[in-house]
Amino acid sequence: MELKELYQEIILDHGKNPRNKGKCEGFTNDAKAHNPLCGDKVHIYLKLNKDKQIENLSFEGEGCAISLASASILTETVKGKDLSFIKKISEDFIKMIKNKTKITINSLTADQITTIASLSGVQEFPMRVKCATMAWHTLLSAIEKK
Amino acid sequence: MELKELYQEIILDHGKNPRNKGKCEGFTNDAKAHNPLCGDKVHIYLKLNKDKQIENLSFEGEGCAISLASASILTETVKGKDLSFIKKISEDFIKMIKNKTKITINSLTADQITTIASLSGVQEFPMRVKCATMAWHTLLSAIEKK
Amino acid sequence: MDIKNIKKEFPIFSQKINGKPLVYLDSANSSQKPKLVIDKISNFYETEFSNVGRSVHTLAVKATNRFEATRDKVQKYLNAKHREEIIFTKSATESINLVASSFGKKHINKGDEILITELEHHSNYVPWHYLRSEKGAIIKFAPVNEDGDVEINSIKNLITDKTKIIAITHISNVTGAILPITKIVDLAKEQNIPVLIDGTQGAPHCNIDMQKIDCDFYAISCHKMYGPNGLGILYMKKKWVDDLPPYQGGGGMINEVKKEDITFAEENTKFEAGTMQTAEVVSFAESLNFIEKLGINNIASHENEILEYGLEKLRKNNSIKIIGNPKSRGSVLCFTLKDIHPHDIATILDEDGVAIRAGHHCCQILHDKLGINATARASIGVYNDKEDIDKLSDAIKNCQKVFQI
Amino acid sequence: MDIKNIKKEFPIFSQKINGKPLVYLDSANSSQKPKLVIDKISNFYETEFSNVGRSVHTLAVKATNRFEATRDKVQKYLNAKHREEIIFTKSATESINLVASSFGKKHINKGDEILITELEHHSNYVPWHYLRSEKGAIIKFAPVNEDGDVEINSIKNLITDKTKIIAITHISNVTGAILPITKIVDLAKEQNIPVLIDGTQGAPHCNIDMQKIDCDFYAISCHKMYGPNGLGILYMKKKWVDDLPPYQGGGGMINEVKKEDITFAEENTKFEAGTMQTAEVVSFAESLNFIEKLGINNIASHENEILEYGLEKLRKNNSIKIIGNPKSRGSVLCFTLKDIHPHDIATILDEDGVAIRAGHHCCQILHDKLGINATARASIGVYNDKEDIDKLSDAIKNCQKVFQI
Ligand SMILES: Cc1ncc(COP(=O)(O)O)c(C=O)c1O
Ligand SMILES: Cc1ncc(COP(=O)(O)O)c(C=O)c1O
């Protein structure tokens, strides 16, 4: 059943207990987004160090399990990584959701890949794609902003 | 055939050679109308004397055979008549066209009634009703104006 | 036709959704269409189609007659005094935009007040917001109370001698509150303030009598009345039909066009620019036939029965919170479910063939006030029955199972 | 599908008019619809109908996907660069009103000049007239020449540094003149002046490539392209999509709505307020399929062949005067008949099953210039053949008989 694929254990867990929620201290960049059709919101905060690595990041948001889980998984995936990694993973993630491609980044652990891939069930639910991708788009704009 | 009823000899004659065309001298009242959908125009001029009789009247206009014939027949019918007659005949005429009633005014000659009734074929052509009634509506507004 | 058996008049219900029969509880969003209406559209295109009001050939005459006969039918259905008070638009949204634009142009100046409520759909706020930005008008919001109602006094309190128009919804598409529109109109009339009623949710559920309600403007969306897409109605009182300037410009709405100046047609015509939605208008006559055959009061009491059953049933589930407790309620049931977001509910319900809507339902102001960003909404149409509610209730339980709550 | 045999795809032609087969020569007014399009409407209502973009249930997803897929299809058909450049409206009239209103609000001030032509349909004049009355803008009319053409020089001569927009028709619905729009756009670009093209008659007849034409706005009426009523398209160049303020306000076109202020959605969404015409949009995809299957160039050359045949045939009748003699002509043939008014012609032709239009065709300025108040118009669609022209010609002779001329 597709529904079970969408609402996997991992997603329910991240949705109920999102990691890195709140406003992280000393953030250097932030961006927010909003889905006007449903009212979902996300606000991403991140602290870039001088090596252009994300030293810390967090998010605030309201929304469905998918959107919260996606933001939560995002924060776990990119913490400590540098900008080129972040661009690559964000683009890969958005592609995965839209075009059903696989994530293939060497520096990710098998566990991390499984976690991220848990969101790929969204493909079958076109109206929910935005829920899953919003945080990742927002991360990209946070990085571009100064 | 209905078409023959619509384009009777009398109508073709009045359409081709409309009576009382032009701007009559010394007119006291006038009014014009215009059908924005087709561009037809009519302008009625009349001279009321102090007995509230139409001493003279005429019309200017552009339009189809039906609208010209109707204006022409109108001028022939009401010339020399007084206001109460004019109101009655105009209303009767409009009713005839719309509701297929007969004209029943004693002071009209049989000939006049035949002439007016020649326009009643318009009933069967709803898009042409306005062509036939426009002059009569305009006559009424000319009278009401001072 | 029997309401108990009405589903079979709607072809959509022969569809299966995810292998399950369709339980359609999204009628406040848009209603499904009876076969008669759908067939009328095809039949019209197949046998009588032509542009209306422009040509004199047989098809044009037939189309024009049917088109104008529908105007007469709408007039009669709404008990409007004059046929020219019925204006065809694209949607209720366009109806309200038309009024805001035309009325605003002539009668709204800097500092003038527009009185709306916290319940309004964006369609009955954004057009007034335009006047605020362009003209420096002020928008006042009559507050919604705890029950999701707007009390007449809260409107009364906000009326000043600057109030130029009151624009209120007939039925809230979130709390379901049926506002006391006749009383509000009476109140407004004392001060000579025109009233626009957003009847988008009202018209499909209530008996509408324009001469009784006596409002100045009433906006309707035909697609929520078992009618076609792309068609709305604006009732506009004769006085305003004569007074207000036209809205969109184009073919059909002019009187005389010169290079230096343009004069406009009279009556409804001046508000109907360009080629109209002939097939939609013609088929809407069948929607009204459908409603009349059943009787709008029977439809309302059927819907009320289903709604009451639904309220009762859902209240038994302790995790469900029902939004609003208005004195009198239209066919709308908004709720939230503990620890499960409305979007997730809607997606999971869909697996069971149950179609509801989730989100803010174009009422952000109201959701801000409620302190939530989304609700789930089940809305009832003539074709719903108690079994649909049972399935809704079961599907909600399934949600809780999926979320392991 | 074969053009020679295409009538049978259109159910309307199984009708008899006054006992005679229908000769439909009123396509410039509105075209008839192929069975595929009509069936798509019913089929959509019967199996997939729901409101788009708002709910997440299966029907809403299906409807939304079909709706947006049609936008993609239109984008491809028009070879627009971005899908967001395709905006769905009610009609070409609404498309032009949208531009005049949104562009006018932001970019037209007192004394600014709007350049149109004497050929324009009221839809491409009245909306600009509003800016003249409200903003004190000036409208200049590029003259039409004896042949019913507008020469590029007559446009060039009227451009000043006050010219803020040029709005011209692609094909005149009276003289049939196909204007040199690409040259006009090139000319305007030299001076950085945006160009709106009223493509209402152009789109059904010409191969339209937005990237080649490179205009800023292009307005289309779907009902003249073998599509449904109540649907228009506005192509708007991305630059303007980003720049211009929204038009109507309502559901779906907002970003954030607060009591104090409102921000708007981006891209095409900000111009599409309220419930859209889902069934119409979805079925229009079939109209494009129909056109693509035949090939627009094949349609054009078929229509040209019939038109040439018609011109030749009608010229043989000494009482007929053909209006306009443009260098290149769309499928429109306007004429007058000695001593018989166009209205009478239309009525008498109808008795023979021949449907034409009579009047000023929403072009009063042009008719004033021609010094007549009405013309008769036969316009050609894909389904017409030479036999239709023969019947037209015979029916005209019958007119002369009825009038004993
Ligand atoms: C040249 C031209 N422009 C604009 C229009 C208006 O189109 P619509 O009435 O479909 O909005 C028409 C159709 O009559 C036309 O022929
Ligand atoms: C209360 C209310 N007003 C206005 C609207 C707008 O209707 P439409 O989108 O059909 O224009 C709606 C429908 O969503 C509504 O529920």
Side-chain angles (χ1 to χ4, degrees):
Chain A
M1 180 180 139
E2 289 158 0
L3 205 53
K4 277 217 184 109
E5 255 179 59
L6 185 62
Y7 292 104
Q8 292 177 33
E9 202 71 49
I10 305 181
I11 293 182
L12 293 179
D13 174 40
H14 277 271
K16 264 182 247 171
N17 310 298
R19 325 296 197 257
N20 303 305
K21 221 181 160 194
K23 198 189 276 188
C24 70
E25 252 175 55
F27 65 89
T28 56
N29 296 42
D30 76 307
K32 53 182 176 175
H34 167 231
N35 181 343
L37 280 183
C38 61
D40 285 2
K41 286 173 193 163
V42 67
H43 194 156
I44 289 190
Y45 303 90
L46 57 91
K47 186 174 177 182
L48 277 182
N49 65 20
K50 50 183 175 354
D51 299 334
K52 295 284 175 198
Q53 279 172 334
I54 294 193
E55 206 176 291
N56 200 2
L57 87 166
S58 68
F59 82 101
E60 289 175 341
E62 285 171 71
C64 60
I66 308 296
S67 72
L68 294 180
S70 178
S72 170
I73 291 170
L74 172 150
T75 60
E76 283 203 324
T77 312
V78 304
K79 195 180 274 190
K81 305 289 186 176
D82 66 8
L83 287 191
S84 68
F85 172 88
I86 288 164
K87 286 215 173 114
K88 176 90 177 79
I89 181 73
S90 303
E91 281 161 15
D92 273 22
F93 179 84
I94 292 164
K95 262 194 228 144
M96 173 186 85
I97 299 290
K98 292 198 174 156
N99 309 335
K100 321 199 180 195
T101 51
K102 288 224 158 97
I103 301 275
T104 54
I105 297 186
N106 295 330
S107 55
L108 287 172
T109 65
D111 248 23
Q112 281 181 310
I113 290 188
T114 311
T115 306
I116 297 174
S118 72
L119 283 157
S120 66
V122 173
Q123 287 155 8
E124 307 297 328
F125 297 84
M127 305 297 275
R128 309 302 303 277
V129 162
K130 215 171 173 180
C131 308
T133 57
M134 190 161 70
W136 298 77
H137 283 294
T138 311
L139 174 66
L140 288 174
S141 16
I143 287 170
E144 275 154 28
K145 267 201 228 168
K146 266 191 294 263
Chain B
M1 181 179 136
E2 289 157 0
L3 206 54
K4 278 218 183 106
E5 254 178 59
L6 184 62
Y7 293 103
Q8 291 177 34
E9 202 72 47
I10 303 180
I11 292 181
L12 293 179
D13 173 41
H14 277 270
K16 263 182 248 173
N17 310 299
R19 325 295 197 258
N20 303 304
K21 223 180 159 195
K23 198 187 278 188
C24 69
E25 249 175 59
F27 64 91
T28 57
N29 296 43
D30 74 310
K32 54 182 174 175
H34 167 230
N35 181 344
L37 282 183
C38 63
D40 283 3
K41 287 171 194 164
V42 68
H43 194 155
I44 290 192
Y45 303 89
L46 56 91
K47 186 174 177 180
L48 277 183
N49 66 19
K50 50 182 176 345
D51 299 333
K52 297 282 174 199
Q53 281 173 334
I54 295 193
E55 206 175 291
N56 200 1
L57 89 166
S58 68
F59 81 101
E60 289 175 340
E62 286 172 71
C64 61
I66 309 296
S67 71
L68 293 180
S70 178
S72 170
I73 291 171
L74 172 149
T75 59
E76 284 205 323
T77 312
V78 305
K79 196 179 273 192
K81 306 287 185 174
D82 66 10
L83 288 190
S84 67
F85 172 89
I86 289 165
K87 286 215 173 112
K88 176 91 176 79
I89 180 75
S90 303
E91 280 159 17
D92 273 21
F93 179 83
I94 292 165
K95 261 195 228 144
M96 172 187 86
I97 299 290
K98 292 198 174 155
N99 309 334
K100 321 199 177 195
T101 51
K102 289 224 158 100
I103 301 274
T104 53
I105 297 186
N106 294 332
S107 56
L108 287 173
T109 65
D111 248 21
Q112 280 180 310
I113 289 188
T114 310
T115 305
I116 296 173
S118 73
L119 282 158
S120 65
V122 173
Q123 286 156 7
E124 307 296 330
F125 298 83
M127 305 297 273
R128 309 301 303 278
V129 163
K130 215 170 171 180
C131 309
T133 57
M134 191 161 71
W136 298 77
H137 284 294
T138 311
L139 173 65
L140 287 174
S141 14
I143 287 170
E144 273 153 31
K145 265 201 230 168
K146 267 191 295 264
Chain C
M1 278 193 300
D2 174 16
I3 288 193
K4 304 288 167 203
N5 228 334
I6 208 74
K7 258 195 176 119
K8 68 174 177 13
E9 308 286 337
F10 291 78
I12 196 90
F13 293 110
S14 45
Q15 295 302 298
K16 293 259 190 257
I17 301 295
N18 300 315
K20 317 246 165 60
L22 169 62
V23 176
Y24 189 76
L25 291 166
D26 198 19
S27 296
N29 189 358
S30 195
S31 63
Q32 296 297 340
K33 323 300 172 204
K35 187 157 169 38
L36 274 172
V37 173
I38 302 173
D39 288 351
K40 185 75 223 170
I41 300 176
S42 343
N43 180 265
F44 177 73
Y45 277 130
E46 285 176 5
T47 64
E48 293 181 340
F49 175 76
S50 162
N51 204 342
V52 300
R54 279 148 171 82
S55 298
V56 301
H57 54 73
T58 300
L59 290 176
V61 171
K62 279 193 192 175
T64 304
N65 288 349
R66 278 203 186 278
F67 185 90
E68 293 301 335
T70 306
R71 198 190 304 277
D72 292 335
K73 192 165 180 71
V74 172
Q75 179 202 349
K76 243 181 88 191
Y77 183 79
L78 298 178
N79 193 27
K81 203 159 177 186
H82 307 279
R83 70 188 308 278
E84 307 87 57
E85 295 179 328
I86 307 302
I87 298 161
F88 290 116
T89 65
K90 171 165 84 167
S91 58
T93 298
E94 175 161 277
S95 299
I96 300 172
N97 275 272
L98 191 164
V99 177
S101 167
S102 291
F103 182 86
K105 231 170 246 171
K106 189 152 175 190
H107 297 289
I108 300 277
N109 294 305
K110 197 171 153 64
D112 284 347
E113 293 172 5
I114 296 156
L115 178 46
I116 71 175
T117 83
E118 290 179 343
L119 283 178
E120 298 315 315
H121 189 278
H122 295 158
S123 291
N124 198 21
Y125 171 27
V126 185
W128 306 111
H129 166 75
Y130 289 164
L131 293 176
R132 178 165 66 183
S133 343
E134 284 161 28
K135 295 235 175 179
I138 292 159
I139 299 179
K140 289 196 169 175
F141 294 84
V144 59
N145 69 14
E146 281 184 346
D147 293 334
D149 260 327
V150 172
E151 286 158 57
I152 183 113
N153 266 334
S154 70
I155 292 179
K156 199 169 187 171
N157 293 340
L158 289 174
I159 294 180
T160 74
D161 55 5
K162 288 261 166 202
T163 310
K164 285 289 143 60
I165 190 163
I166 299 175
I168 46 163
T169 194
H170 188 169
I171 300 186
S172 161
N173 64 323
V174 175
T175 71
I178 304 184
L179 298 202
I181 52 167
T182 316
K183 281 190 197 146
I184 295 170
V185 171
D186 286 347
L187 175 69
K189 261 194 289 186
E190 283 170 23
Q191 327 235 5
N192 237 330
I193 303 168
V195 179
L196 173 141
I197 295 169
D198 173 358
T200 318
Q201 298 296 339
H205 187 73
C206 304
N207 184 15
I208 308 293
D209 182 327
M210 285 305 152
Q211 295 186 61
K212 247 195 217 143
I213 300 175
D214 205 22
C215 58
D216 299 86
F217 310 100
Y218 193 95
I220 291 174
S221 262
C222 298
H223 69 95
K224 306 205 197 217
M225 290 183 80
Y226 314 109
N229 262 167
L231 183 66
I233 288 167
L234 173 61
Y235 162 84
M236 185 189 284
K237 208 182 247 182
K238 182 77 165 65
K239 145 184 180 193
W240 298 111
V241 172
D242 294 338
D243 176 75
L244 296 186
Y247 180 51
Q248 297 181 333
M253 49 72 77
I254 52 86
N255 177 33
E256 202 156 26
V257 177
K258 298 277 170 202
K259 278 192 183 174
E260 304 71 36
D261 201 13
I262 296 175
T263 57
F264 298 105
E266 297 193 333
E267 307 185 335
N268 53 284
T269 311
K270 81 174 152 193
F271 299 109
E272 295 177 349
T275 297
M276 296 299 286
Q277 310 95 306
T278 320
E280 287 77 2
V281 169
V282 165
S283 68
F284 185 60
E286 289 299 331
S287 309
L288 290 181
N289 282 339
F290 172 80
I291 292 174
E292 282 175 335
K293 255 185 229 158
L294 291 175
I296 186 74
N297 292 332
N298 297 329
I299 293 177
S301 58
H302 170 76
E303 288 176 0
N304 288 344
E305 189 186 332
I306 307 302
L307 181 86
E308 285 305 324
Y309 181 76
L311 286 167
E312 203 181 309
K313 188 119 194 175
L314 263 49
R315 281 198 185 109
K316 284 190 188 135
N317 183 332
N318 289 329
S319 304
I320 292 178
K321 193 178 157 228
I322 288 169
I323 306 296
N325 184 30
K327 276 195 221 69
S328 129
R329 194 193 266 270
S331 340
V332 168
L333 201 173
C334 268
F335 62 94
T336 54
L337 188 54
K338 200 163 166 299
D339 291 333
I340 309 183
H341 190 277
H343 264 95
D344 297 313
I345 304 174
T347 296
I348 298 170
L349 259 53
D350 185 54
E351 278 300 307
D352 288 333
V354 178
I356 63 155
R357 182 167 169 193
H360 54 55
H361 318 296
C362 301
C363 292
Q364 277 190 14
I365 302 289
L366 180 61
H367 280 78
D368 280 356
K369 176 94 172 203
L370 296 170
I372 42 182
N373 75 348
T375 51
R377 180 180 75 186
S379 52
I380 318 282
V382 62
Y383 30 61
N384 291 119
D385 51 29
K386 291 187 180 165
E387 213 180 302
D388 291 340
I389 298 293
D390 294 339
K391 285 180 186 158
L392 167 68
S393 170
D394 291 346
I396 293 175
K397 282 178 197 143
N398 184 41
C399 266
Q400 295 171 290
K401 230 180 274 157
V402 169
F403 268 72
Q404 302 161 8
I405 309 184
Chain D
M1 277 193 298
D2 174 17
I3 289 191
K4 305 286 168 205
N5 227 334
I6 208 72
K7 258 195 177 119
K8 68 174 175 16
E9 308 286 337
F10 290 78
I12 196 92
F13 293 110
S14 46
Q15 295 302 299
K16 293 258 190 259
I17 301 295
N18 299 316
K20 316 247 165 58
L22 168 62
V23 175
Y24 190 77
L25 291 166
D26 199 18
S27 296
N29 189 358
S30 195
S31 63
Q32 295 297 339
K33 323 301 173 201
K35 187 158 170 33
L36 274 171
V37 173
I38 302 173
D39 288 351
K40 185 75 222 169
I41 301 176
S42 342
N43 180 265
F44 176 73
Y45 278 129
E46 286 177 5
T47 65
E48 294 182 338
F49 175 75
S50 162
N51 205 341
V52 300
R54 279 149 171 81
S55 297
V56 302
H57 54 73
T58 300
L59 290 175
V61 171
K62 280 192 192 173
T64 304
N65 288 349
R66 278 203 188 278
F67 185 90
E68 292 301 333
T70 306
R71 197 189 305 276
D72 293 334
K73 194 168 178 69
V74 172
Q75 179 202 348
K76 243 181 89 191
Y77 183 79
L78 297 178
N79 193 28
K81 203 160 178 186
H82 308 277
R83 70 188 309 278
E84 308 86 55
E85 295 179 328
I86 307 304
I87 297 162
F88 290 116
T89 64
K90 172 166 84 167
S91 58
T93 298
E94 175 162 277
S95 298
I96 300 172
N97 276 272
L98 192 164
V99 176
S101 167
S102 291
F103 182 87
K105 233 171 243 171
K106 191 154 173 188
H107 297 290
I108 300 275
N109 295 302
K110 197 170 152 66
D112 285 347
E113 293 173 5
I114 296 156
L115 177 46
I116 71 175
T117 82
E118 289 179 344
L119 283 178
E120 299 314 315
H121 188 279
H122 295 159
S123 290
N124 198 22
Y125 171 28
V126 185
W128 307 110
H129 166 75
Y130 289 164
L131 293 176
R132 177 165 67 184
S133 343
E134 284 162 29
K135 295 234 173 182
I138 292 158
I139 298 178
K140 290 194 169 176
F141 295 84
V144 60
N145 69 15
E146 280 186 347
D147 293 334
D149 260 327
V150 174
E151 286 159 57
I152 183 110
N153 266 333
S154 71
I155 292 181
K156 200 169 186 168
N157 293 339
L158 288 173
I159 294 181
T160 74
D161 55 6
K162 288 261 165 204
T163 310
K164 284 290 142 59
I165 191 164
I166 298 175
I168 47 163
T169 194
H170 188 168
I171 300 185
S172 161
N173 64 324
V174 176
T175 70
I178 304 184
L179 298 202
I181 52 169
T182 316
K183 281 189 197 147
I184 296 170
V185 171
D186 286 346
L187 175 69
K189 262 195 289 185
E190 284 170 23
Q191 328 235 5
N192 238 330
I193 304 167
V195 178
L196 174 141
I197 295 169
D198 173 358
T200 318
Q201 298 297 338
H205 187 73
C206 303
N207 184 17
I208 308 292
D209 181 326
M210 284 305 150
Q211 296 187 60
K212 246 194 217 143
I213 300 175
D214 205 22
C215 59
D216 298 85
F217 309 100
Y218 193 95
I220 291 173
S221 262
C222 298
H223 69 95
K224 305 204 198 215
M225 291 182 79
Y226 314 110
N229 261 167
L231 183 67
I233 288 168
L234 172 62
Y235 162 84
M236 185 189 285
K237 207 181 248 183
K238 181 79 165 64
K239 143 184 183 194
W240 298 111
V241 172
D242 295 336
D243 176 75
L244 296 186
Y247 180 52
Q248 296 181 333
M253 51 70 79
I254 52 88
N255 176 34
E256 202 155 25
V257 177
K258 299 276 169 203
K259 278 191 183 172
E260 304 72 37
D261 201 12
I262 296 176
T263 57
F264 297 105
E266 299 194 330
E267 307 183 334
N268 51 285
T269 312
K270 80 175 153 193
F271 299 109
E272 294 177 348
T275 296
M276 296 298 287
Q277 309 95 307
T278 319
E280 286 77 3
V281 169
V282 165
S283 68
F284 184 61
E286 290 298 332
S287 309
L288 290 181
N289 282 339
F290 172 80
I291 291 174
E292 283 175 336
K293 254 184 231 159
L294 291 174
I296 185 74
N297 292 332
N298 297 329
I299 293 176
S301 58
H302 170 77
E303 288 176 0
N304 288 344
E305 189 186 332
I306 308 303
L307 182 85
E308 284 307 322
Y309 181 77
L311 286 167
E312 202 180 308
K313 187 120 194 176
L314 263 50
R315 281 197 186 109
K316 284 189 188 136
N317 184 331
N318 289 328
S319 304
I320 292 179
K321 193 179 155 227
I322 288 169
I323 305 296
N325 184 30
K327 275 193 223 71
S328 126
R329 192 193 269 267
S331 340
V332 168
L333 202 174
C334 267
F335 63 95
T336 54
L337 187 55
K338 200 163 167 301
D339 291 333
I340 308 183
H341 190 276
H343 264 95
D344 296 313
I345 304 174
T347 296
I348 298 170
L349 260 52
D350 185 55
E351 277 299 306
D352 288 332
V354 178
I356 63 156
R357 183 167 168 191
H360 54 56
H361 318 297
C362 301
C363 294
Q364 277 190 13
I365 301 289
L366 179 62
H367 279 78
D368 279 357
K369 176 93 174 207
L370 296 170
I372 42 182
N373 74 348
T375 51
R377 180 180 75 186
S379 52
I380 319 282
V382 63
Y383 29 64
N384 291 118
D385 51 30
K386 291 187 181 166
E387 212 180 303
D388 291 340
I389 297 293
D390 294 339
K391 284 181 187 156
L392 168 68
S393 169
D394 290 347
I396 293 175
K397 282 177 198 144
N398 184 40
C399 265
Q400 295 171 288
K401 229 179 278 158
V402 170
F403 268 73
Q404 303 161 5
I405 309 185

